[in-house]
Amino acid sequence: MFLFPALAFLIGVIAGLRAMVAPAALSWAAWFGWLHVSDIWLAFLGWGFMPWLLTLLALAELVLDQRPAIPSRKVPLQFGTRLVSGAICGAALMMALDLNTAHLSPGEMATEGLVAGLLGAVAGTLGGAEARAWLARRFRRDSPGALLEDAAAVLGAVGIVSAMA
């Protein structure tokens, strides 16, 4: 039972690193039938076009993140977007649980997932910013750290989705 709150936290971390990578990964999981969201308000994640749309948005985010003119992830709009993404993704993971094995009400599962995803997003946003700044100092430029962060976000999302399969 501890696995799902941990995954909700980790998908929040991914959302903190890259706001659109987490929902794109969960959308693919729903599309493949690994994340059962058809009976909840997050059913749109599994709609036929949604994985493609979210993947395009995630790719755009990965490309745009390399540009120096993009504002810091700690400004309110960027930070808030990551928090919302992490919270929704965390809730999606928890709400997709089989209710017979969860021993929680749907509202409790949604709340637990939302909080875990939100906390993960805070950790990913702030920790990712610090790690990227540290890497930028080590490499004496930002792009290698940004690419490593991109890779961590994508591979982490794939790992989380694989754990649900």
Side-chain angles (χ1 to χ4, degrees), residues 2 12 91 105 114 143:
F2 178 72
S105 73
L114 188 130
S143 59

Side-chain angles (χ1 to χ4, degrees), residues 18 65-66 73 128 131-152:
R18 296 290 177 270
D65 183 64
Q66 304 298 318
R73 71 184 79 202
R132 184 163 167 179
W134 183 83
L135 288 168
R137 288 191 301 273
R138 295 292 176 253
F139 287 114
R140 296 192 178 124
R141 57 192 179 116
D142 185 57
S143 59
L147 290 172
L148 286 171
E149 187 179 10
D150 290 346

